[in-house]
Amino acid sequence: MNRFAKYNVHDNVAVITVNNPPVNALSQVVCARLIARVEQAESDPAVRAVLIHAQGHTFPAGADVKEFGGPKLAPVLPMVCDRIEACIKPVIATLHGTVLGGGLELALASHYRIAHVDTKMGLPEVNLGLVPGAGGTLRMPHLCGVAFALSFMLSGKPIGAYFAKKRGLIDDITKGNSLAAGLGMARDVISSGTHVRRTLAQDQALRDPIANLSAIKQARAAVVTSVLMAPDKIIDCVEASLLLPVKAAKSFEWTAFGDCLASKQSAALRHVFIAERLAGKVPEVERGNPREISNVGIIGGGTMGAGIAVSMLDGGLNVILVERDSDSLEAGLSRVTAVFERAVAQKRLTPKVMEARLAALSGSLQMSDLSEVDLAVETVTEERTIKEEVFAQLDAVLKQGAILAANTSYLDIDELAATVSRPADVIGLHFFSPANIMKLLEVVVADATSDDVVASGFKLAKRLGKIGVRAGVTDGFIGNRILKAYRLAAEYMVEDGASPYQVDGAMRDFGFGLGPFQGYDLAGLDIAWVQRKRVAASRDPALRYTRFGDKMCEAGWFGHKVGRGFYRYVDGASKGHEDQTVLDLIADARMNQRIRPREFDDDEIQRRCLSAMVNEGARLLESAMALRPSDIDMVMVHGFGLVRWRGGPMHIADQIGILQIRNDLQRFDSDDTHIWRPAEMLNSMTLNGQGFGVLNS
Ligand code: T1G
């Protein structure tokens, strides 16, 4: 009984200590123990006040997200909160760490709250596609006013202790031990003899619904364009808390919570939450000991190198940027400085912080200046001979134990590792551009890469605030292999009759920030053209090859950087316009291929692109190039901008059903069998009635 919620009495104060590592999540068993302890305190004649506290580094950080998929077994968290609020003895919550979601709702139901000065408090349920479901949509407005409560719950962002006190969310702050401070407050409440047990019902008459309904109206206007369900539901609950009797308002909130919980959006958002934490669970990380990384050398100050330098500086690392000549070095350092200056101009960074970041940056023309770095990342031209040359120079100057990282998108890390004297120290760190913004880091593990170096790569990812995903050595690793299949599906449809603009529109509606052809224009059509020419000799003749992309490159239409690609960009504008000359070129290419164009609707466009991505994902899993399906989802969400509330291609496949994906593949199969032939895994999953979700462990 003592586990999960300990009970002991200090000087007439019953101390209930929640103990459910790692974040004291309010699982069903913790909820049951909490009610039992509150009732034990209430019936204990020696007790005159109750203190709720938590062991470990945080007061409960919310309901247990991992239980949401299962049955809602009593007692559910709202019952715990109501029982605390109804306790005839004063209940004090003493807060520390990150008090989030149901954890904060537990505190709100207590009669008094004191927080350690470093405590963060928030109701982030909206980020999981949920509403605060344990009384938060009633108690927050009641305590802090409707307008603030709405902005607090709709943003999902945590606040600090001082702001919380200013808003009336907590009664006091302590810089000392939160348990001692909580006991002190309990003793004060007892000695004052003035405790009045106020509940929501008693105070409802105090409210002025009309004055508050204007805040409701403003909040609705702010979310009117959102496709998300939870924000609307949060506003509905707050409005209900103003207009309905408390019991009815609580029931309204619980129903809204259940509606959100059952939604595909919330399932996807919870999937992403869990997937982000699963990605770091990698065998080599469990076995390895990460090396200390403080000083980093970056070879190449182009767009990628500069972005990586910013990311490393933001992570508090020292950076030496190496270039081949002074002009290039100057340009590279300027690119880094410009990113920080833009952040200061947009008030995302203070000048003082910018100064500190730039103080950790230096430049050099000598590889020998990297002799003391812990990690060297090459970001030079995507040509094997050039990268091998850089690796040879690094191998000659780096200290023992330094890590050599290649930031290649395609090249074979095993081959690169074989060219140096320390292959075990070689790893792929594939950043996604812009490297200081995109959260994905593909950690590419070569055969020779040591466990320690892999563990170092994942520790670095966490330090940079990125999601590290383990990838095997395969052409394009995970992201670019999925992208290649997606793009092939899109190109085949354009050659068969769809317009690139229709495909882009359909895939933006699907959840990507940009359609595939917008993505080509942004990256540069010539990049893929170079890749196509690189593999031309070894291309599978059975694989369908579309010609219009080559025709556009032969015409110099490389995309945004030259003012035209699939779209026209007037005066360097970031948004392009559709271009009839592109449609004419595609029509000519079709004619040359004797293709009679046909119509595609958006549903077929989305299903073709999705099934191509899922099929390639299954192949990556079969070949162990990806560890788990949710890692593939992380690559598409954090590397290619698929919205979180879609969850990722493998998650969507589970929502649609593997049988449908497989049937689509067979239906789309024509002469381009490469991307449509169902992966063997899909066949066996169909037979077993299995989804990808069971493989996410
Ligand atoms: N439930 C279950 N496990 C959780 C959890 C949660 N709420 N939060 C974290 N974990 C696990 C996580 O999976 C990982 O597990 C470990 O804790 C460390 O997490 C009714 C409906 C608290 C700021 O949204 O924001 O309450 O990998 O790597 O970087 O109204 O976790 O070790 O096995 O993130 O130090 C609302 C979500 C829930 C908070 C800590 N609460 N968590 O960050 O560690 S819904 C949240 C976080 C709710 C009520 C509603 C962060 C953190 P493992 P971590 P961290």
Side-chain angles (χ1 to χ4, degrees):
M1 184 69 171
N2 214 13
R3 209 172 149 230
F4 298 115
K6 293 178 192 163
Y7 181 92
N8 48 49
V9 180
H10 287 276
D11 307 334
N12 304 120
V13 178
V15 179
I16 300 173
T17 305
V18 178
N19 177 30
N20 184 25
V23 296
N24 288 315
L26 294 164
S27 60
Q28 193 274 334
V29 68
V30 172
C31 287
R33 292 284 195 282
L34 276 170
I35 285 190
R37 296 304 193 193
V38 170
E39 289 174 348
Q40 182 181 356
E42 201 168 51
S43 59
D44 184 337
V47 169
R48 296 181 58 197
V50 183
L51 180 63
I52 300 180
H53 167 57
Q55 209 161 321
H57 65 270
T58 183
F59 191 84
D64 189 332
V65 173
K66 291 162 185 158
E67 287 188 345
F68 285 151
K72 282 186 261 184
L73 302 174
V76 289
L77 191 52
M79 295 173 181
V80 183
C81 293
D82 289 349
R83 188 63 189 84
I84 288 169
E85 184 180 67
C87 181
I88 57 174
K89 299 176 180 176
V91 179
I92 296 96
T94 182
L95 316 181
H96 72 289
T98 47
V99 184
L100 303 170
L104 184 57
E105 289 176 293
L106 193 76
L108 290 173
S110 304
H111 304 125
Y112 304 90
R113 286 157 294 282
I114 183 168
H116 184 271
V117 63
D118 295 335
T119 308
K120 296 289 181 214
M121 288 151 267
L123 291 176
E125 286 86 341
V126 70
N127 299 329
L128 297 173
L130 299 170
V131 304
T137 63
L138 288 87
R139 295 191 176 95
M140 266 308 290
H142 177 67
L143 258 181
C144 305
V146 171
F148 174 72
L150 280 168
S151 67
F152 185 62
M153 291 186 279
L154 291 170
S155 75
K157 289 192 171 56
I159 60 175
Y162 287 115
F163 190 45
K165 185 164 186 304
K166 185 178 165 203
R167 282 289 179 178
L169 186 55
I170 57 175
D171 303 292
D172 206 349
I173 292 173
T174 176
K175 290 183 177 174
N177 176 282
S178 61
L179 175 57
L183 284 168
M185 178 175 268
R187 280 192 283 274
D188 292 348
V189 170
I190 292 170
S191 57
S192 72
T194 59
H195 170 62
V196 174
R197 186 169 62 80
R198 286 170 47 181
T199 62
L200 283 166
Q202 288 158 321
D203 286 358
Q204 185 168 29
L206 303 178
R207 292 188 223 147
D208 174 356
I210 304 307
N212 290 318
L213 288 179
S214 62
I216 296 277
K217 204 169 161 193
Q218 281 169 27
R220 285 206 194 286
V223 299
V224 69
T225 57
S226 169
V227 295
L228 295 175
M229 176 185 189
D232 268 335
K233 289 283 187 180
I234 287 172
I235 297 168
D236 291 347
C237 289
V238 172
E239 185 179 54
S241 78
L242 296 175
L243 300 176
L244 298 178
V246 171
K247 192 165 183 296
K250 286 181 179 178
S251 169
F252 186 97
E253 178 192 72
W254 187 241
T255 304
F257 174 73
D259 294 346
C260 289
L261 191 61
S263 71
K264 285 187 174 178
Q265 282 181 3
S266 181
L269 289 165
R270 298 190 322 264
H271 166 74
V272 167
F273 173 85
I274 292 170
E276 285 169 339
R277 288 151 182 82
L278 263 183
K281 297 198 182 319
V282 167
E284 294 90 344
V285 174
E286 312 295 328
R287 295 192 300 261
N289 297 305
R291 294 177 191 165
E292 192 49 46
I293 297 177
S294 305
N295 302 299
V296 178
I298 295 174
I299 298 84
T303 305
M304 187 53 92
I308 295 171
V310 172
S311 182
M312 297 288 183
L313 292 166
D314 283 341
L317 297 162
N318 301 313
V319 173
I320 303 174
L321 188 64
V322 174
E323 261 291 1
R324 53 179 183 274
D325 59 59
S326 50
D327 288 349
S328 305
L329 179 58
E330 187 53 40
L333 294 172
S334 305
R335 283 189 191 94
V336 176
T337 306
V339 171
F340 288 119
E341 286 171 343
R342 219 172 12 258
V344 168
Q346 292 167 355
K347 302 205 182 316
R348 289 184 286 110
L349 206 62
T350 64
K352 195 156 175 279
V353 170
M354 178 177 79
E355 193 183 330
R357 294 274 201 282
L358 292 176
L361 173 67
S362 59
S364 168
L365 299 177
Q366 309 298 329
M367 284 288 201
S368 53
D369 287 344
L370 299 182
S371 59
E372 287 311 306
V373 301
D374 309 302
L375 163 71
V377 186
E378 64 75 24
T379 70
V380 297
T381 310
E382 197 74 344
E383 281 299 334
R384 188 176 143 187
T385 51
I386 298 174
K387 290 195 187 280
E388 285 179 355
E389 173 52 30
V390 166
F391 258 44
Q393 293 175 44
L394 289 172
D395 195 20
V397 300
L398 292 183
K399 68 183 181 186
Q400 196 59 36
I403 296 168
L404 285 82
N407 170 63
T408 177
S409 300
Y410 285 90
L411 298 182
D412 186 319
I413 310 283
D414 285 325
E415 290 176 359
L416 269 175
T419 66
V420 296
S421 65
R422 52 179 110 187
D425 294 335
V426 172
I427 194 165
L429 292 181
H430 182 214
F431 290 81
F432 281 68
S433 188
N436 57 305
I437 306 286
M438 300 306 279
K439 287 187 72 169
L440 179 65
L441 178 62
E442 278 185 319
V443 181
V444 186
V445 182
D447 290 341
T449 307
S450 72
D451 291 346
D452 291 358
V453 170
V454 177
S456 306
F458 275 88
K459 186 177 176 185
L460 176 69
K462 193 157 178 120
R463 179 161 185 180
L464 301 181
K466 293 185 181 290
I467 302 291
V469 171
R470 187 195 186 286
V473 177
T474 177
D475 192 3
F477 314 134
I478 296 175
N480 284 324
R481 264 187 61 172
I482 299 283
L483 178 66
K484 184 176 174 185
Y486 167 27
R487 280 176 161 174
L488 279 177
E491 290 158 22
Y492 292 166
M493 282 187 277
V494 164
E495 192 170 65
D496 288 341
S499 101
Y501 312 120
Q502 180 194 6
V503 172
D504 278 353
M507 294 315 288
R508 283 195 303 272
D509 290 348
F510 179 81
F512 283 101
L514 295 176
F517 299 101
Q518 288 173 288
Y520 263 129
D521 276 6
L522 191 61
L525 277 71
D526 49 326
I527 305 292
W529 190 34
V530 165
Q531 298 304 348
R532 290 196 296 272
K533 290 191 283 187
R534 175 171 69 87
V535 300
S538 58
R539 181 183 304 121
D540 177 353
L543 179 62
R544 177 178 178 181
Y545 189 76
T546 56
R547 304 278 173 203
F548 61 86
D550 293 355
K551 298 282 180 214
M552 292 175 68
C553 291
E554 287 154 17
W557 304 351
F558 293 149
H560 181 264
K561 60 188 172 187
V562 298
R564 68 180 302 179
F566 283 97
Y567 296 82
R568 288 267 191 168
Y569 301 90
V570 178
D571 301 333
S574 54
K575 184 167 169 37
H577 302 285
E578 298 183 10
D579 184 351
Q580 185 56 47
T581 51
V582 168
L583 297 177
D584 296 342
L585 180 147
I586 293 169
D588 287 347
R590 287 187 194 121
M591 209 174 336
N592 295 339
Q593 299 284 94
R594 291 186 171 67
I595 290 172
R596 180 192 301 273
R598 77 168 178 86
E599 297 286 312
F600 287 85
D601 63 25
D602 286 3
D603 179 59
E604 181 176 2
I605 290 171
Q606 291 177 354
R607 286 168 69 157
R608 279 179 173 264
C609 292
L610 173 66
S611 49
M613 284 188 265
V614 172
N615 204 31
E616 193 63 22
R619 288 179 180 147
L620 284 161
L621 292 167
E622 282 175 338
S623 57
M625 291 296 113
L627 273 186
R628 55 179 75 86
S630 61
D631 280 4
I632 296 166
D633 289 336
M634 289 301 91
V635 168
M636 297 316 288
V637 167
H638 289 299
F640 294 95
L642 180 62
V643 289
R644 295 172 69 91
W645 56 264
R646 294 288 276 162
M650 312 311 271
H651 175 78
I652 297 168
D654 276 1
Q655 288 185 331
I656 290 174
I658 302 300
L659 179 60
Q660 170 151 356
I661 294 289
R662 187 176 167 281
N663 290 344
D664 278 355
L665 287 165
Q666 290 183 326
R667 186 159 63 89
F668 301 147
D669 191 0
S670 52
D671 54 353
D672 24 286
T673 52
H674 175 77
I675 67 169
W676 301 126
R677 184 186 66 249
E680 187 40 49
M681 177 181 198
L682 293 179
N683 295 326
S684 56
M685 284 168 73
T686 307
L687 289 173
N688 305 335
Q690 202 185 37
F692 287 111
V694 296
L695 305 176
N696 289 331
S697 58

